[in-house]
Amino acid sequence: MEEQDLITLQGTVEAVTFRAESGFTVAELGYGNELITIVGDLVGIEEGEELSLTGRYTTHPKYGPQFKVLMFERRLPASASAIGKYLSSGVIKGIGPSLARRIVDVFGDETLEIIEQQPLRLAEVKGISEKKAAQIGEEFQHIFGIRTLMIFLSKYGISPSQSVVIWKLWGSAGMNLIQANPYILCGCEADIDFSICDTIAIELGLPEDSMERKQAGINYVLRQNLFSGHTCLPADKLLMQASRLLQLPEASLSKAIEEAVQEETLRKMTRGKDYLYLANLYVAEQYIAERIVAMTRCALGDDAAIQTKISRIEKENGIHYALLQKQAICQAIENDIMILTGGPGTGKTTTLNAIITILEESGKEVFIAAPTGRAAKRISEVTGHEAKTIHRLLEVSQSQNNRLEFVHNQENPLECDAVVIDEMSMVDTLLFDSLLRALRPGCKLILVGDSDQLPSVGAGNVLRDLIDCGCVPTVQLKEIFRQAAKSLIVTNAHKIVNGEMPDLKVKNNDFFYMPRISSSDVQNTIIDLVSRRLPVSYGFSPTENIQVLCPSRKGALGTMELNAMLQQELNPEDGYKVQFSNGMFLFREGDKVMQIRNNYDIEWKRNDERGLGIYNGDIGFIKMIDRGSQTLMVDFDGRVAVYSFDMANELELAYAITVHKSQGSEFDAVVIPLFGGYDKLFYRNLLYTAVTRAKQLLILIGSAKRIAYMVENNRRTLRYTGLKFLLKEYYRTLNLTAEDEERT
């Protein structure tokens, strides 16, 4: 919008007709002799306030003419009558219309000045004690503190919802803290971009080589690397990246790191060379290692008795367990911790069912959980036992400032004797730390997963580190059972993970390859398959049963491009469905969407059930978009959540999703484009993970050469973590201590 298109209005708020938690507000403004409907992020405005508004006139298709506010300034009402109306609106807790009139009768035009500067004088008004006068003064300071903070932050593009998070953190001290060190904003839960902090600092005249800026930049680099899966970074890499961000020499940053380590805002681990951590990741890895090693000390059980129970289960169910399956069952019963791993069709579920049966027959309470809702639903179906997400198992509490908090922890552990975690490859360091803290001593932990799949989206490489340390009892199932061997999805998955080319010639099974010679051919084939051929041939729903999986987000065959094409084909604009754009995506009623980050504060409803939390990877459908209230309603497998428009940046279209985002999920039919692109995005365990997401049908579209490249490229994503090192160190120390005890 050009500057000359903007209009400035000044008037008094006559009525507030709608207010959303996001800050979006609809109000009536008294402007001269007319009332104008104003809409926008008018956080906290109240009746009687005088506003200066900058924006433009628009026409809403349903609500008619409106003034869309882009910027606003507020002035406290000056006249006694305006002040009376303002206070009567209930803006200050404890002051209703009757009391507002009495206050204004006593202080007149000076009322608000008295409340702000001499609140105890309110006791001069009949019915107000000194205690109540003080409370009114505090409430007034609270209200205008958050407004002042929001107005200040809005100049830098910081949203009202982010401002609320910041206010909750620091309250009335927030403004002073930010002006003293604006870089605290990029380290708090609001997660403000470092460049914005730099802009504020420049305007405040802070030097670019200040210690606050250096340490904030170093912390910011570590936090950004969490998204690449690293729980820590080698000191030399950290210095290099921080130097690039801050445009300062590495030598000048070393002292900042040393001071942060001394203050323990950063933690250092030395193993050949120095590695730097954010404090919470360091503490988490330390706790995980200590707890796991302690759990490996306990190995109790009567192997002969367990074998007898296994034989009985075999007889009752008409099955025969392979040697490794029996070994896994015994290990799980005898140890406090055990890992069961293996590819598709190797009998993990059959083995797990036997473990659960024996534990329950022994009188033990067994809880089952998985990282995602889809994974929990799947394990529930195959075991016949209730399963929850790990977050629901631990019970997310009403968190402060979007900080993850669980009801179950060391002080309030889970009331069970054993916990089974499925899809363990998806579990990151911080979530595993929280899980372990919620287990009471002696509680068994059985970890089930496929270590050849991609590691967790969050930081860490927990399952791989636990297996590679050699300390945790682990059984890897390798034999493909006869029924599973009939599936080409299963047999080709095992070929891929073993570095062999999958069979691309078979045309009458559940695994198909469709060669194409250009990206546009691949695009057209995907659209045709999803919208027409697969629904007609197999009865699949294009949105509920079929999922397109992509190696990347960008490019002609990335999720961004394919989502736009699939949306146009599967859910086109028809003049009736409401839609809106958040700049990145055009969302339309009926669209398939995915939550792309954990949000522990979103409330959802399912019939009479209520809960908190929508998590990274959850897939749902937009049921309604209300432009009037600036909200959209999304149904995630029966859990219905309401998003404000400014929260829509947590959603993406999900007709096509990345392979990484598909972890823990299974889909009836999976379509994978494999053609062109950057080599570094195409590697073996990405292809393996993608193939194993399909339950009934898998189709690869593109180039056999690209598929061969992926099979040959066994590059595993490098993740810097210290967990394996810590496990080995603690285990070695434990064994040395045991040897010393034996000698004495």
Side-chain angles (χ1 to χ4, degrees):
M1 185 188 303
E2 298 295 329
E3 194 67 31
Q4 56 265 33
D5 293 334
L6 300 179
I7 301 169
T8 299
L9 303 178
Q10 290 186 346
T12 303
V13 179
E14 297 294 333
V16 176
T17 57
F18 175 81
R19 195 194 311 271
E21 287 186 12
S22 65
F24 178 81
T25 304
V26 180
E28 298 296 326
L29 183 79
Y31 178 65
N33 295 321
E34 60 178 323
L35 282 179
I36 297 174
T37 300
I38 59 174
V39 299
D41 288 331
L42 300 161
V43 178
I45 66 165
E46 300 292 349
E47 294 174 8
E49 280 195 87
E50 296 179 14
L51 302 179
S52 176
L53 309 171
T54 301
R56 64 172 178 171
Y57 285 102
T58 62
T59 300
H60 190 281
K62 182 177 180 181
Y63 299 101
Q66 299 177 337
F67 187 79
K68 185 174 182 180
V69 180
L70 301 179
M71 297 178 287
F72 78 100
E73 295 180 2
R74 62 194 346 137
R75 292 182 295 170
L76 289 177
S79 68
S81 61
I83 292 170
K85 184 172 185 178
Y86 175 66
L87 293 179
S88 296
S89 70
V91 62
I92 298 179
K93 193 185 302 181
I95 299 181
S98 176
L99 185 55
R101 283 194 299 272
R102 296 205 303 273
I103 294 172
V104 173
D105 286 344
V106 173
F107 299 112
D109 294 352
E110 297 180 349
T111 296
L112 295 183
E113 185 179 333
I114 295 295
I115 295 175
E116 181 180 17
Q117 299 178 12
Q118 298 174 283
L120 294 181
R121 284 195 60 193
L122 292 173
E124 297 173 22
V125 178
K126 185 179 179 181
I128 299 181
S129 65
E130 286 192 4
K131 181 179 179 182
K132 184 166 185 175
Q135 290 173 341
I136 291 172
E138 289 177 7
E139 180 70 10
F140 186 89
Q141 292 295 334
H142 173 85
I143 292 167
F144 280 88
I146 190 170
R147 290 177 177 179
T148 303
L149 182 66
M150 284 182 170
I151 292 169
F152 171 73
L153 295 175
S154 68
K155 295 188 299 183
Y156 305 101
I158 296 175
S159 71
S161 57
Q162 290 174 307
S163 296
V164 170
V165 171
I166 294 163
W167 174 262
K168 286 180 179 178
L169 276 173
W170 299 307
S172 57
M175 181 67 81
N176 291 334
L177 290 172
I178 292 167
Q179 289 178 333
N181 178 14
Y183 296 102
I184 61 174
L185 291 172
C186 67
C188 74
E189 283 75 7
D191 196 25
I192 306 302
D193 191 84
F194 190 84
S195 63
I196 293 176
C197 299
D198 252 353
T199 300
I200 299 172
I202 290 169
E203 289 195 11
L204 294 173
L206 300 179
E208 69 170 13
D209 62 348
S210 68
M211 186 60 70
E212 291 83 2
R213 182 172 185 265
K214 291 176 182 177
Q215 292 191 349
I218 291 162
N219 285 0
Y220 186 77
V221 168
L222 286 171
R223 282 195 304 278
Q224 293 302 110
N225 272 276
L226 296 178
F227 298 110
S228 299
H230 306 304
T231 62
C232 57
L233 279 183
D236 56 344
K237 289 186 178 293
L238 175 59
L239 280 169
M240 180 183 67
Q241 292 183 26
S243 175
R244 191 182 305 133
L245 172 72
L246 298 168
Q247 293 297 295
L248 293 172
E250 292 183 16
S252 71
L253 301 177
S254 296
K255 185 177 180 182
I257 290 178
E258 290 174 11
E259 286 194 12
V261 170
Q262 289 174 1
E263 296 167 359
E264 295 192 343
T265 55
L266 291 184
R267 306 295 287 270
K268 181 169 68 174
M269 179 188 296
T270 302
R271 52 180 201 272
K273 59 181 179 179
D274 291 341
Y275 291 79
L276 279 305
Y277 285 80
L278 294 169
N280 64 327
L281 271 301
Y282 180 85
V283 170
E285 285 196 346
Q286 293 275 356
Y287 181 82
I288 292 170
E290 291 172 359
R291 184 71 188 271
I292 292 296
V293 169
M295 294 174 78
T296 62
R297 300 182 67 179
C298 302
L300 301 171
D302 184 341
D303 192 66
I306 298 171
Q307 292 291 349
T308 300
K309 292 178 180 179
I310 292 172
S311 298
R312 177 181 55 77
I313 294 172
E314 287 180 316
K315 185 176 181 181
E316 289 176 353
N317 294 282
I319 58 178
H320 177 72
Y321 295 113
L323 182 62
L324 280 176
Q325 288 181 300
K326 292 180 180 179
Q327 182 183 331
I329 296 167
C330 290
Q331 291 272 26
I333 303 303
E334 293 173 353
N335 293 284
D336 271 4
I337 183 168
M338 178 263 182
I339 297 172
L340 174 63
T341 185
T346 57
K348 292 197 301 292
T349 300
T350 305
T351 306
L352 179 59
N353 281 332
I355 293 169
I356 294 170
T357 297
I358 293 174
L359 288 173
E360 290 185 334
E361 287 179 352
S362 303
K364 297 189 181 299
E365 181 77 16
V366 181
F367 287 171
I368 303 174
T372 67
R374 286 175 174 265
K377 183 178 180 181
R378 186 193 66 82
I379 194 65
S380 179
E381 290 170 350
V382 298
T383 63
H385 289 70
E386 180 189 11
K388 299 179 179 179
T389 65
I390 299 174
H391 289 86
R392 286 194 68 199
L393 178 71
L394 300 181
E395 296 183 52
V396 176
S397 66
Q398 185 66 52
S399 59
Q400 296 297 315
N401 314 317
N402 208 33
R403 180 180 294 156
L404 177 59
E405 296 173 1
F406 289 117
V407 170
H408 293 290
N409 49 38
Q410 286 167 291
E411 287 72 39
N412 181 31
L414 294 164
E415 293 292 329
C416 63
D417 304 296
V419 172
V420 174
I421 301 297
D422 193 32
E423 295 287 356
M424 182 61 201
S425 63
M426 292 183 63
V427 178
D428 62 50
T429 298
L430 292 179
L431 185 57
F432 193 55
D433 171 65
S434 296
L435 174 68
L436 288 177
R437 291 178 189 274
L439 301 184
R440 60 189 182 186
C443 181
K444 287 183 178 294
L445 181 60
I446 299 155
L447 307 176
V448 184
D450 187 343
S451 59
D452 290 312
Q453 289 184 18
L454 293 171
S456 58
V457 174
N461 201 1
V462 178
L463 181 60
R464 173 54 59 187
D465 284 347
L466 290 175
I467 293 172
D468 288 351
C469 77
C471 314
V472 182
T474 300
V475 176
Q476 180 178 10
L477 302 178
K478 299 178 180 178
E479 179 185 347
I480 305 175
F481 286 89
R482 186 167 51 191
Q483 188 64 31
K486 297 177 182 178
S487 166
L488 205 58
I489 293 174
V490 171
T491 55
N492 274 343
H494 283 271
K495 284 185 176 182
I496 290 167
V497 84
N498 290 324
E500 302 171 24
M501 190 69 176
D503 190 338
L504 304 181
K505 296 179 181 179
V506 176
K507 303 296 182 182
N508 60 351
N509 205 291
D510 54 6
F511 185 113
F512 296 90
Y513 165 62
M514 303 178 72
R516 293 295 182 270
I517 60 173
S518 71
S519 295
S520 60
D521 285 345
V522 176
Q523 289 177 339
N524 293 333
T525 303
I526 289 172
I527 301 302
D528 189 37
L529 282 169
V530 174
S531 64
R532 186 183 66 83
R533 292 171 63 177
L534 296 183
V536 169
S537 299
Y538 294 88
F540 290 144
S541 161
T543 54
E544 294 184 4
N545 303 117
I546 304 170
Q547 185 61 61
V548 178
L549 300 184
C550 306
S552 69
R553 288 170 52 84
K554 299 179 180 180
L557 299 177
T559 58
M560 299 294 289
E561 184 75 18
L562 289 176
N563 267 317
M565 298 177 71
L566 287 164
Q567 181 191 46
Q568 180 60 32
E569 185 69 27
L570 302 176
N571 190 32
E573 184 176 2
D574 60 5
Y576 297 98
K577 296 171 185 170
V578 183
Q579 61 186 35
F580 86 98
S581 174
N582 70 343
M584 181 71 73
F585 293 97
L586 176 68
F587 292 106
R588 185 174 294 135
E589 288 177 337
D591 273 337
K592 183 178 182 180
V593 294
M594 172 181 278
Q595 175 78 11
I596 59 169
R597 61 175 62 93
N598 290 336
N599 188 321
Y600 311 107
D601 291 336
I602 295 182
E603 182 178 0
W604 53 262
K605 299 178 184 177
R606 177 164 46 201
N607 300 323
D608 294 330
E609 182 185 4
R610 291 174 178 263
L612 287 174
I614 302 294
Y615 305 111
N616 192 354
D618 285 352
I619 293 176
F621 293 87
I622 298 176
K623 295 301 182 184
M624 182 189 71
I625 297 175
D626 185 353
R627 297 189 66 86
S629 64
Q630 303 271 290
T631 59
L632 61 156
M633 183 183 296
V634 185
D635 186 332
F636 296 95
D637 285 331
R639 295 176 299 141
V640 179
V642 176
Y643 289 69
S644 61
F645 278 10
D646 72 336
M647 292 167 58
N649 61 351
E650 298 186 6
L651 296 171
E652 289 185 353
L653 293 177
Y655 301 101
I657 63 176
T658 64
V659 178
H660 286 84
K661 291 290 188 182
S662 74
Q663 289 174 261
S665 297
E666 284 189 336
F667 309 95
D668 293 319
V670 169
V671 178
I672 308 172
L674 296 174
F675 188 92
Y678 298 106
D679 285 352
K680 68 177 183 179
L681 297 176
F682 294 85
Y683 47 96
R684 185 186 299 173
N685 69 331
L686 184 89
L687 177 60
Y688 174 74
T689 300
V691 167
T692 55
R693 299 307 89 206
K695 290 198 293 185
Q696 298 180 40
L697 182 69
L698 178 90
I699 302 177
L700 302 181
I701 309 173
S703 162
K705 183 177 179 181
R706 173 53 76 188
I707 296 169
Y709 177 86
M710 295 183 79
V711 171
E712 293 169 6
N713 182 13
N714 197 26
R715 176 187 71 84
R716 289 188 178 270
T717 305
L718 173 65
R719 291 198 167 193
Y720 293 112
T721 78
L723 182 57
K724 182 171 74 171
F725 171 79
L726 288 170
L727 284 163
K728 287 185 173 182
E729 283 297 295
Y730 289 165
Y731 198 68
R732 183 178 64 83
T733 302
L734 180 67
N735 287 337
L736 289 175
T737 303
E739 290 174 6
D740 289 341
E741 289 176 354
E742 286 181 12
R743 282 195 290 268
T744 57

